[in-house]
Amino acid sequence: MKKPQDKTARMTKALREGGVRVTRQREALLKVLTEAADHPDAAELHRRAQVLDDTVSLATVYRTLTVLEREGVVHRHSFESGGARFEVADPVHHDHIVDIDTGHIIEFRNDKIEELQRLIAAEMGYEIVHHRLELYCRKLA
Amino acid sequence: MKKPQDKTARMTKALREGGVRVTRQREALLKVLTEAADHPDAAELHRRAQVLDDTVSLATVYRTLTVLEREGVVHRHSFESGGARFEVADPVHHDHIVDIDTGHIIEFRNDKIEELQRLIAAEMGYEIVHHRLELYCRKLA
DNA sequence: GTTTATGCAAACTCTTTGCATGTAG
DNA sequence: CTACATGCAAAGAGTTTGCATAAAC
């Protein structure tokens, strides 16, 4: 069982070492991000962060998310509808299943599919820098 | 060698049978779409369609693309940056490699990867309705 | 003739930015 | 103390929409 506070501590350390200032607002956002079990968008992160610190503005949420993404501690996804959604970067890459009826997002990882992608790209003379695989699904009866 | 005019003819037929009116503007857009070897966005399609019919407005381009997508003759993609990009629906599904240096988009199809996706979804109790696989790549040296 | 599509401009959503002020290191 | 981060409001990009007019069937 990984404790969220450990994650936050590791993240703030990584940020400071990257020359990034850890402000009250950024601490609030980091806490909200590490505690999120879902994939919230910027507005939702703003709402959650304001509970912890009501001075957090939406502009800062966006600016901070950009910084966190650049520092590699957050991943940005854009699923089929709506704006960008965010999650704390997982050291192990995973893909997503989107339940088109409920909107729920499920993570999965499959080494075979990762390897196949690498092979396909290589056959075409390419090396994968990053990729995106989303399965839009419906629950089986 | 498939002739573009055949494609357009088939598409207009499908549209009329779907109760959709085929206007001058829609004809221009269909022609531009079938002749496109790339994946243009709405603004680019607007530019190209205006060469054929200068009364085509951007609003109509958007409205028509929505109709064409609903009728199944066009696919809409949203790659990592910029707005939506469109292509005539391919009867055989394909995925995309995006060259991150040039922006070029290459299509590919791989049955094994399609099958793997189906298996993964099934294992989680899901059936795939549609999916999206994009490989953001760099040319190998 | 009816019903649907169009152009235009305004509105909308999501995101970014300029600027004066605040604050982390 | 100085450089960087912030809030606010305004601007931006991409897309949609209300309305009066035009045209497909």
Side-chain angles (χ1 to χ4, degrees), chain B residues 4-132:
Chain B
Q5 56 269 37
D6 292 350
K7 236 194 217 169
T8 315
R10 242 181 302 123
M11 285 162 81
T12 56
K13 187 163 169 269
L15 290 180
R16 261 189 269 260
E17 282 169 2
V20 174
R21 291 186 182 175
V22 180
T23 62
R24 280 183 298 126
Q25 292 89 344
R26 287 180 177 176
E27 276 174 350
L29 196 52
L30 284 172
K31 192 153 193 293
V32 159
L33 278 164
T34 52
E35 286 173 357
D38 50 353
H39 296 68
D41 63 9
E44 179 59 27
L45 289 168
H46 181 218
R47 259 173 251 122
R48 297 185 193 175
Q50 278 196 316
V51 176
L52 304 179
D53 178 348
D54 66 357
T55 72
V56 181
S57 74
L58 183 56
T60 288
V61 169
Y62 275 109
R63 276 190 281 233
T64 301
L65 286 168
T66 302
V67 170
L68 296 181
E69 196 189 7
R70 173 161 37 78
E71 298 297 318
V73 302
V74 154
H75 282 162
R76 176 190 305 251
H77 301 288
S78 63
F79 298 112
E80 273 192 343
S81 55
R85 293 172 164 273
F86 303 86
E87 66 178 329
V88 171
D90 191 336
V92 181
H93 166 84
H94 62 253
D95 296 307
H96 297 93
I97 287 178
V98 180
D99 186 316
I100 58 177
D101 294 316
T102 67
H104 288 152
I105 293 165
I106 300 163
E107 305 179 348
F108 73 88
R109 160 155 192 92
N110 184 287
D111 289 316
K112 254 193 259 180
I113 226 166
E114 299 290 321
E115 178 58 16
L116 254 176
Q117 288 171 18
R118 208 170 311 130
L119 284 174
I120 291 165
E123 261 174 39
M124 324 268 297
Y126 281 100
E127 152 188 60
I128 299 178
V129 175
H130 62 281
H131 70 104
R132 170 157 120 173

Side-chain angles (χ1 to χ4, degrees), chain A residues 69 72-77 85-90 93-94:
Chain A
E69 196 188 8
V73 303
V74 154
H75 282 163
R76 176 189 306 250
H77 302 287
R85 294 174 162 274
F86 303 85
E87 66 178 329
V88 172
D90 190 336
H93 165 84
H94 63 253

Side-chain angles (χ1 to χ4, degrees), chain A residues 44-102:
Chain A
E44 178 60 26
L45 288 168
H46 181 219
R47 258 174 252 121
R48 296 184 194 176
Q50 278 196 316
V51 175
L52 304 179
D53 178 348
D54 65 358
T55 72
V56 180
S57 73
L58 183 56
T60 288
V61 170
Y62 275 109
R63 277 190 280 234
T64 301
L65 286 169
T66 301
V67 170
L68 297 182
E69 196 188 8
R70 171 161 39 75
E71 296 298 318
V73 303
V74 154
H75 282 163
R76 176 189 306 250
H77 302 287
S78 64
F79 297 111
E80 274 193 342
S81 55
R85 294 174 162 274
F86 303 85
E87 66 178 329
V88 172
D90 190 336
V92 181
H93 165 84
H94 63 253
D95 296 307
H96 297 93
I97 287 178
V98 180
D99 185 316
I100 57 177
D101 294 316
T102 67

